[in-house]
Amino acid sequence: MWRVFYNAALVVAFMATYKTAGIFAATVVVMVGVVGEVIVTLARRQRVDKLQWIGLCLVLVLGGSTLLFHNETFIKWRPTGVYWLIAGAFLTSLMVAKRDPVRVIIGRCVSAPDAVWRFLSWSWFVALVAVGAVNIVVAYTMSTDTWVNWRVFVAPGSLLALAVAQATWHRNYILTAWRDHQSEEAM
């Protein structure tokens, strides 16, 4: 849970730095923040997961390229890289491992039919590919100010809206899991 708050703080720091010092200083903030996340994870004697390592590599390569070539296009590709890598992991899980990644993530807490898990997993795959693609369009066709607002507010807000819509649509499975959890606690 600490990673959620850490990453939220990093987004705020990125936005504040961008508004006060520009995209290159904000790029440094993101680079330091992602390195810091890995260091804190290791210091807490926790396992650094694959997504963290990939995120670290992406931010160092693309952020470093942004700073080295003084070209903001590289850092603008980072969100697309992250979204598409996660989408690729979903696709690999679905097609090769024949497992629904959403079930893997929350299936121990919520029980649902196979068709629901498949639908949820495929919808997340499509959403991640789409958000990554829109990121590229915004990066190349709009101002950096617009891209930063897209990156900080619209892209995460879109994914949050998908999660809320899916939770609302499949609320019966969530409510059943909640009632089962409450029953277990009462015993």
Side-chain angles (χ1 to χ4, degrees), residues 115-145:
V116 170
W117 293 120
R118 236 180 336 276
F119 174 79
L120 293 172
S121 294
W122 279 110
S123 63
W124 275 98
F125 166 75
V126 169
L128 290 163
V129 169
V131 171
V134 172
N135 181 71
I136 295 301
V137 171
V138 172
Y140 280 101
T141 63
M142 299 183 185
S143 70
T144 299
D145 275 344

Side-chain angles (χ1 to χ4, degrees), residues 80-101:
T80 295
V82 171
Y83 294 136
W84 286 356
L85 284 169
I86 296 169
F90 269 55
L91 185 62
T92 301
S93 181
L94 285 160
M95 301 299 289
V96 177
K98 304 292 186 201
R99 295 179 66 190
D100 296 306

Side-chain angles (χ1 to χ4, degrees), residues 39-90:
I39 290 170
V40 168
T41 302
L42 292 170
R44 294 177 60 140
R45 300 194 188 282
Q46 295 175 337
R47 184 173 131 318
V48 178
D49 62 43
K50 289 177 188 171
L51 188 58
Q52 282 178 287
W53 286 120
I54 291 168
L56 177 65
C57 291
L58 277 172
V59 79
L60 292 177
V61 169
L62 296 173
S65 297
T66 293
L67 299 174
L68 181 66
F69 298 112
H70 207 71
N71 183 342
E72 63 195 42
T73 302
F74 295 106
I75 199 64
K76 289 179 179 180
W77 269 86
R78 181 181 172 268
T80 295
V82 171
Y83 294 136
W84 286 356
L85 284 169
I86 296 169
F90 269 55

